[in-house]
Amino acid sequence: MKNLKHIYIIFLFFYSTIALTSFAQSDVIKGSFVHPSIMELNEYKHEFSLVLAKLPEDAIESTSAWIYAPLFTYSAKYGLPYAFNLKGGFSSNIITYQLRTGLQWGYNFNRITFSINSDAAYWFGRLNRFGFNSEVSAWSGYSNLSLGIEFDKFTLTIQTESEYIISIKQKADDVVTNNKNSYLAGSSFAIFIEQPAWGDNYMTLGIRFNYTNLYWPAWAVFPSWDRYMYIPEVIIGFVL
């Protein structure tokens, strides 16, 4: 988005204002979602988030705004025995949809929690307007390492992740433009802060830096590109 930097400033101001006027919850771990906490057996958490990405200008210069529409995500976690969490989520930006699930295992030491995570995802999309006639379907795998730190009134999470394309088929009209299998698509580094917003409700603010040759929410503008790009994201989430 050309005006993404202005959106950054607005959300940072909005978040800071809420944080300064909020009352801290006694247990910030209970209220946080992204933080890799070890959940109690059968405990359930869920979050709704909005992802705003800054795509390369040469990729979106002549495309529709649908290509870089915000990504809406619903995520959930469920506590399992032996420090495992079951995770799942659904994401969409109208033209693309992703279903993702996986397992997370954590280890806690005082106020520091470390976790490893492995996910599998299926995503698909279709764009048949604005001069496009494209579709895609793919399977991806994700490996994730997270480090969470608990403070008195907020949590800080540092996260790194790699994405592996298991299989993908992409078409423009009736021509297959991408049919690769088994390759590393890219990696990312992210920082999240979670803090009470109002009452018992928590808010997540994160920044993620992607280094990838296939940013799946905007697959339609990368049909023949074979180079890696930096794509920053801002994530705004509300723990439900």
Side-chain angles (χ1 to χ4, degrees):
M1 289 184 178
K2 295 181 179 180
N3 296 321
L4 191 60
K5 63 181 180 180
H6 300 109
I7 297 176
Y8 291 176
I9 296 172
I10 292 172
F11 273 109
L12 285 170
F13 175 79
F14 174 72
Y15 181 80
S16 299
T17 301
I18 290 178
L20 289 173
T21 57
S22 65
F23 294 95
Q25 189 167 308
S26 59
D27 188 355
V28 293
I29 295 297
K30 286 288 186 180
S32 299
F33 182 85
V34 179
H35 184 278
S37 58
I38 300 174
M39 299 170 60
E40 297 179 2
L41 183 62
N42 299 325
E43 182 182 357
Y44 181 79
K45 292 183 179 181
H46 54 151
E47 180 183 56
F48 176 79
S49 59
L50 173 68
V51 180
L52 304 170
K54 178 67 172 67
L55 299 179
E57 291 295 332
D58 54 348
I60 63 173
E61 184 176 359
S62 59
T63 62
S64 162
W66 286 100
I67 300 295
Y68 51 92
L71 184 70
F72 298 94
T73 299
Y74 173 80
S75 304
K77 296 197 298 186
Y78 183 78
L80 298 176
Y82 306 110
F84 281 95
N85 296 331
L86 177 65
K87 299 177 61 182
F90 172 77
S91 302
S92 175
N93 61 355
I94 308 302
I95 67 168
T96 310
Y97 304 86
Q98 186 195 70
L99 294 169
R100 177 169 170 170
T101 187
L103 284 175
Q104 179 185 56
W105 178 83
Y107 178 80
N108 176 260
F109 179 75
N110 292 331
R111 290 182 171 232
I112 297 176
T113 305
F114 171 81
S115 76
I116 57 176
N117 190 95
S118 181
D119 289 354
Y122 174 73
W123 54 277
F124 61 95
R126 182 176 179 83
L127 182 60
N128 191 15
R129 58 182 71 185
F130 312 112
F132 288 87
N133 184 18
S134 305
E135 61 183 64
V136 67
S137 61
W139 286 93
S140 296
Y142 297 89
S143 297
N144 175 301
L145 296 175
S146 296
L147 176 68
I149 305 174
E150 176 191 357
F151 296 91
D152 290 338
K153 296 184 179 181
F154 68 95
T155 61
L156 173 68
T157 301
I158 301 172
Q159 191 178 94
T160 181
E161 184 173 76
S162 61
E163 179 183 6
Y164 188 80
I165 297 295
I166 301 170
S167 65
I168 184 171
K169 185 174 184 180
Q170 186 174 344
K171 296 194 304 182
D173 295 319
D174 293 327
V175 179
V176 176
T177 60
N178 191 350
N179 194 24
K180 297 181 180 179
N181 294 318
S182 303
Y183 71 95
L184 182 65
S187 58
S188 66
F189 175 81
I191 299 175
F192 297 91
I193 292 177
E194 296 177 279
Q195 186 170 339
W198 64 91
D200 292 333
N201 299 288
Y202 270 63
M203 185 176 182
T204 302
L205 178 63
I207 300 177
R208 180 186 291 120
F209 301 95
N210 300 284
Y211 182 65
T212 179
N213 68 350
L214 179 59
Y215 182 64
W216 70 265
W219 58 271
V221 299
F222 303 118
S224 59
W225 290 25
D226 193 18
R227 69 178 188 267
Y228 286 84
M229 300 153 290
Y230 286 102
I231 299 178
E233 296 174 329
V234 168
I235 303 99
I236 310 294
F238 296 93
V239 182
L240 303 176

